[in-house]
Amino acid sequence: MSYQTLLDAVIKGDIKTATEETLKAVDAGQNAQDILDQGLIEAMNVVGGKFSKGAIFVPQMLRSAKTMQECVEVLKPHFQENAMTTKGKIVLGTVKGDLHDIGKNLVGMMLEGAGFSIIDLGVDVAPEVFVDKIKEAKADVLGMSALLSTTMPSMSLTIKALADSGLRDTVKVIIGGAPVTRKYAQDIGADSYAPDAGSAVLEAQKLLNKT
Amino acid sequence: MESGSIPTFQPRLKVLNHRQALAIHTAALEILEKTGIKMEHNESLDMLAGAGGRVFDKDWIRLPAYLAEEAIRSAPRQIALYDQLGNKTMPMVDENPFYGTGSDTTFTLDLETGERRRCILADTANFAKLVDGLENISFAMSMGNPEDVSKVDYIYVYAFAEMVKNTNKPIVFIADRSEDIAKIYDIACLVAGGEDQLRQKPFLLNYSEAISPLRFPAHVMDRLIFCARKGIPICLPSGSNAGGGAPVTLAGAMAMGIAENLVGLIVHQLVAKGAPFLFGPNVSALDMKSAVVSYGCPEWSLTQGALADMRDEIYGLPIWSFAGASDSKVVDAQAGAEAMFSIITAMLSRCNLIHDNGYLEYGSTSSLEMVTIANELVAMARFFIKGIPVNETTLALDALERVKNAGPQAFFLMDDHTFENFEQALFLPKLLDRSRYDSWEADGSKDLYTRSNEEAKRILSEHQVTPKDDGVLKEIDDLLKAL
Ligand code: B12
């Protein structure tokens, strides 16, 4: 079955048509995972491509991401035993002492749009809180945001805390935020760094080898 | 006719009419009354509840409009900042604009190599010294988030001490919490010669921020209350940038930012009626392609022009604003264009305390060259708003008569009227180049970046900052060592 109408609706951010199309596909007996992968995520790949070329603006991209989320809500009950396969589980948060969250929220939306599932711990997140959540959720990736040079050291402390609790090898760490640099990421032993939300998606895909 | 009897109109920008101003103000009050705010500081929450606020969900509280109106009335109309030698250099009242640098950038452009690198304490020292030597830059901020401090918890104390050592101009400072602001206050008292002297002639102002949307963390309120009690002037803008921290439409972003500011003002005045509070949110815009909060956009200039109108129509309190900054990564034509746009509009709106002059890369990078350029652009803008005095001298009919009568070779350039008036009548640039092509070429074909680099270097090597008393310096160093 072709998902073209669904694809177009997600790309346009037409929530009504997109959710109707999703339901139609389900009713026609399509596999929920296929609708997700070949319809919704595929549409978001197109959107991401347009955005990185500067062909569309942030609010248009976020509208598509929101459209996708609404469709996922429609799909959820149709996965066998709730076994929706995402591209990976990402724990995200702004580090301790830091209250900036606009960039982190944007990164979260983009990652979700690309098919990752996101657990957002909010702002001012202490290392042990990250560690506990990663353990509990069996996360694949940890994403940390810092907008202050004074809170960047907390990223390093969190990576140490991961090592101390024996979890470091189970999770990839990606960091970002205006004062953060690739070099800093290397220095503190993070696996990756991204300067903006668009490249955060590409980096996360690379980390989990899911392009 | 007596010369000077015609009042001179001074060019002035108007952005809002009275009804627009009132409507934004009313919307801000409605936000406080209906939406409410999240006050995470217990003492402040109790104070607000005691004064008539209604707590509705743990630490969310709604505030009646009269609390804001009362606070606006009790806050002082003038905030006068003094320099560290005790002169009243920044009387912020009504229409007086003062330009200065900005705070925490991550990187700076190295003066020798031009390379963008992490800021260190010596940069904060250099920026302060440069400010001291530039006539149109009235106050200093740290301009960097230094990498090389011994205790990161006290980064703002080190930065403050560095500024005190390198300038005598007023200082706008950042602090993180009760502990470090108390240390900064101690240093300020050492400089001023005691608590009373500092209260009498404050040379510093704290820049704190609430968290848009509508969130007031405990450590921010601790600072606000500390300043209110000590009489240290403070501003509390929030990050109500259009599209990111606030609604994308400028009226809505302003209403929200003003509401947040009013919360700060209310608590501040409940703690200490009459304590000095500099009004105004930061209403910039989130760029819809890069998702960067812009420091070079026309929106920020427009909203602060609007705020200046609201000051005149409603608040009567001096306002906080920005200028002389850019999103460009280098000191180029974009940097110059954006810097001038905000400098001239802030001047035309008569904003009062105008920070961030010298910022590049949306506030991530600072540049000594940019500050030096801003100094010249401010001079240009100041010249512009003086307007055109119209009187017997400036109409100069007698000069015309003389030149006409003096024969065919006569020209104005050699008339006495020119000699006597040219320095007031014309703008005389120092850094902007108007030389003939050949002499410009002979002088090395230098662009503005190169010339401002040389000028910054010259000031840093030649300018003498009036030194502080050795005893005071030693006490400051002892305080730093004991951190
Ligand atoms: C808005 C803002 C605020 C708002 C934040 C509101 C909110 N809810 O987030 C408020 C007003 C609260 C605020 C407060 C402060 N701020 Co502030 N703030 C900014 C500002 C103007 C924009 C930040 C922003 O939202 N950008 C938009 C988003 C979309 O971009 P972004 O955050 O950079 O995120 C992108 C990338 O960095 C990346 N990314 C981000 N996170 C992550 C995570 C991962 C995993 C990945 C891969 C990528 C990634 O992708 C994002 C999307 O593209 C910046 C200056 C600037 N222009 O950047 C200063 C700035 C960050 N703030 C600064 C400072 C100093 C402060 C204060 C200390 C000021 C004070 N006097 O109190 C306080 C600190 C509060 C605290 N404890 O956290 C400094 C930091 C300097 C430094 N090197 O430390 C800056 C640079 C301004 C400056 N030059 O002075 N601030």
Side-chain angles (χ1 to χ4, degrees):
Chain A
M1 169 174 178
S2 151
Y3 295 109
Q4 200 53 49
T5 321
L6 176 58
L7 273 158
D8 290 344
V10 174
I11 292 167
K12 264 208 299 216
D14 178 349
I15 296 177
K16 190 166 168 287
T17 309
T19 44
E20 280 167 10
E21 282 298 311
T22 306
L23 255 185
K24 252 193 241 164
V26 170
D27 291 344
Q30 294 297 313
N31 177 285
Q33 190 69 44
D34 286 350
I35 302 173
L36 179 66
D37 292 341
Q38 291 158 40
L40 304 177
I41 293 178
E42 186 49 35
M44 286 308 292
N45 283 341
V46 176
V47 171
K50 281 191 178 187
F51 178 69
S52 51
K53 275 196 248 119
I56 58 168
F57 292 97
V58 180
Q60 294 164 320
M61 178 187 74
L62 291 180
R63 176 57 178 256
S64 291
K66 192 168 164 183
T67 308
M68 166 180 176
Q69 280 175 350
E70 297 279 330
C71 296
V72 169
E73 287 308 310
V74 172
L75 275 185
K76 264 185 188 162
H78 302 283
F79 282 97
Q80 257 122 52
E81 294 152 23
N82 275 342
M84 180 167 78
T85 323
T86 68
K87 293 204 166 175
K89 214 180 262 174
I90 303 184
V91 166
L92 190 65
T94 301
V95 299
K96 193 172 164 59
D98 208 318
L99 305 171
H100 295 83
D101 64 0
I102 298 169
K104 178 219 23 131
N105 294 346
L106 184 55
V107 169
M109 279 300 280
M110 284 285 275
L111 288 169
E112 207 158 29
F116 294 91
S117 79
I118 302 297
I119 303 169
D120 189 338
L121 298 179
V123 295
D124 197 10
V125 183
E128 55 283 8
V129 178
F130 276 123
V131 170
D132 289 350
K133 196 65 192 182
I134 289 165
K135 194 184 288 172
E136 180 203 313
K138 297 198 177 66
D140 305 295
V141 177
L142 165 63
M144 286 185 283
S145 178
L147 266 283
L148 299 170
S149 357
T150 48
T151 57
M152 280 162 57
S154 187
M155 298 179 149
S156 168
L157 293 178
T158 306
I159 292 179
K160 285 204 189 84
L162 280 175
D164 291 345
S165 52
L167 288 171
R168 183 63 189 91
D169 295 335
T170 68
V171 65
K172 301 280 186 196
V173 178
I174 176 167
I175 64 173
V180 178
T181 56
R182 187 170 301 282
K183 177 168 181 312
Y184 183 75
Q186 284 160 359
D187 290 349
I188 66 165
D191 299 293
S192 180
Y193 149 86
D196 55 43
S199 46
V201 170
L202 300 178
E203 288 296 323
Q205 287 167 340
K206 249 193 260 165
L207 281 178
L208 298 180
N209 260 329
K210 292 189 177 159
T211 29
Chain B
M1 182 179 80
E2 200 193 307
S3 71
S5 62
I6 303 177
T8 307
F9 176 76
Q10 304 197 313
R12 175 61 205 269
L13 185 71
K14 272 269 168 205
V15 174
L16 298 179
N17 61 33
H18 186 64
R19 285 184 58 191
Q20 284 173 295
L22 268 186
I24 294 176
H25 176 58
T26 305
L29 295 178
E30 185 169 334
I31 291 171
L32 299 184
E33 282 195 331
K34 299 279 163 63
T35 314
I37 57 114
K38 189 173 187 325
M39 178 52 72
E40 298 168 6
H41 187 253
N42 292 334
E43 189 189 339
S44 302
L45 190 66
D46 290 347
M47 222 182 317
L48 289 171
R54 282 154 299 130
V55 177
F56 62 96
D57 178 12
K58 263 174 45 201
D59 52 359
W60 279 85
I61 184 165
R62 298 194 175 101
L63 305 171
Y66 71 83
L67 283 182
E69 304 287 7
E70 274 175 17
I72 293 164
R73 270 198 300 280
S74 65
R77 313 275 109 164
Q78 168 177 258
I79 301 177
L81 285 188
Y82 292 72
D83 67 13
Q84 295 167 57
L85 308 169
N87 306 302
K88 194 204 268 186
T89 55
M90 288 179 58
M92 290 184 277
V93 63
D94 301 335
E95 304 216 320
N96 282 341
F98 298 98
Y99 292 75
T101 46
S103 66
D104 321 68
T105 63
T106 310
F107 307 100
T108 196
L109 294 189
D110 190 278
L111 201 58
E112 298 301 328
T113 65
E115 169 208 5
R116 170 184 178 267
R117 58 159 175 77
R118 271 296 265 127
C119 292
I120 56 173
L121 262 180
D123 297 317
T124 295
N126 278 342
F127 276 104
K129 188 172 179 190
L130 182 70
V131 166
D132 202 78
L134 291 171
E135 52 184 336
N136 301 306
I137 304 296
S138 308
F139 62 90
M141 292 182 75
S142 70
M143 270 314 232
N145 216 279
E147 190 180 29
D148 56 343
V149 295
S150 7
K151 291 209 169 117
V152 123
D153 286 1
Y154 287 100
I155 186 167
Y156 293 121
V157 184
Y158 294 104
F160 186 76
E162 211 56 38
M163 288 190 275
V164 159
K165 290 178 189 172
N166 287 283
T167 183
N168 286 305
K169 289 193 174 172
I171 294 175
V172 175
F173 72 101
I174 315 290
D176 180 53
R177 59 198 185 284
S178 313
E179 290 84 9
D180 62 346
I181 200 167
K183 299 287 176 201
I184 288 170
Y185 178 69
D186 289 345
I187 295 177
C189 287
L190 288 172
V191 172
E195 285 208 60
D196 289 344
Q197 286 87 337
L198 186 63
R199 189 182 278 269
Q200 203 61 24
K201 295 185 168 183
F203 69 85
L204 73 177
L205 182 144
N206 178 247
Y207 170 21
S208 285
E209 287 185 335
I211 312 294
S212 291
L214 305 171
R215 193 179 153 206
F216 296 81
H219 66 296
V220 173
M221 301 313 286
D222 279 338
R223 268 147 37 199
L224 181 81
I225 291 174
F226 182 91
C227 288
R229 294 208 170 113
K230 300 291 187 189
I232 302 173
I234 182 170
C235 62
L236 194 80
S238 46
S240 48
N241 51 79
V248 73
T249 39
L250 299 183
M254 284 190 71
M256 195 194 88
I258 287 172
E260 290 167 333
N261 237 257
L262 287 171
V263 174
L265 180 65
I266 292 168
V267 173
H268 189 257
Q269 295 298 304
L270 285 175
V271 170
K273 269 203 175 27
F277 187 93
L278 187 74
F279 199 70
N282 289 326
V283 186
S284 180
L286 186 90
D287 179 71
M288 289 301 168
K289 262 188 187 163
S290 64
V292 149
V293 172
S294 172
Y295 280 59
C297 61
E299 290 87 347
W300 200 349
S301 294
L302 190 60
T303 57
Q304 67 188 19
L307 187 75
D309 292 342
M310 293 180 74
R311 170 197 60 199
D312 299 346
E313 299 277 350
I314 302 167
Y315 302 118
L317 307 178
I319 57 168
W320 167 258
S321 41
F322 103 107
S326 174
D327 295 329
S328 179
K329 319 302 172 278
V330 291
V331 183
D332 63 355
Q334 178 183 340
E338 290 176 345
M340 191 51 175
F341 188 91
S342 50
I343 284 175
I344 185 70
T345 51
M347 184 72 85
L348 285 168
S349 296
R350 310 292 196 276
C351 294
N352 300 113
L353 190 142
I354 305 161
H355 82 310
D356 284 351
N357 287 272
Y359 267 13
L360 290 172
E361 195 197 339
Y362 43 85
S364 287
T365 298
S366 54
S367 154
L368 289 156
E369 292 89 350
M370 272 296 279
V371 179
T372 311
I373 294 170
N375 180 65
E376 179 99 342
L377 301 182
V378 171
M380 246 174 139
R382 270 201 202 287
F383 174 85
F384 191 83
I385 63 154
K386 280 200 194 122
I388 302 179
V390 181
N391 54 48
E392 216 169 299
T393 311
T394 63
L395 288 170
L397 300 182
D398 51 345
L400 174 59
E401 188 70 19
R402 265 194 313 275
V403 172
K404 181 202 83 186
N405 294 338
Q409 264 79 46
F411 61 154
F412 288 102
L413 201 48
M414 60 171 296
D415 189 79
D416 287 351
H417 179 264
T418 306
F419 173 75
E420 279 153 17
N421 289 289
F422 81 97
E423 283 167 305
Q424 297 79 48
L426 303 181
F427 174 65
L428 306 169
K430 292 182 179 152
L431 203 55
L432 297 171
D433 174 69
R434 294 178 181 169
S435 64
R436 302 253 166 202
Y437 190 88
D438 295 32
S439 53
W440 173 75
E441 193 179 38
D443 206 27
S445 312
K446 291 170 188 160
D447 64 5
L448 182 58
Y449 180 41
T450 311
R451 293 196 306 276
S452 59
N453 177 276
E454 289 174 355
E455 177 63 1
K457 281 180 186 156
R458 187 192 65 74
I459 294 173
L460 290 181
S461 73
E462 291 176 10
H463 177 69
Q464 299 291 331
V465 180
T466 310
K468 297 217 155 56
D469 183 77
D470 283 344
V472 169
L473 291 176
K474 181 168 181 313
E475 283 188 81
I476 293 176
D477 282 336
D478 290 345
L479 185 150
L480 293 180
K481 274 185 215 127
L483 287 178

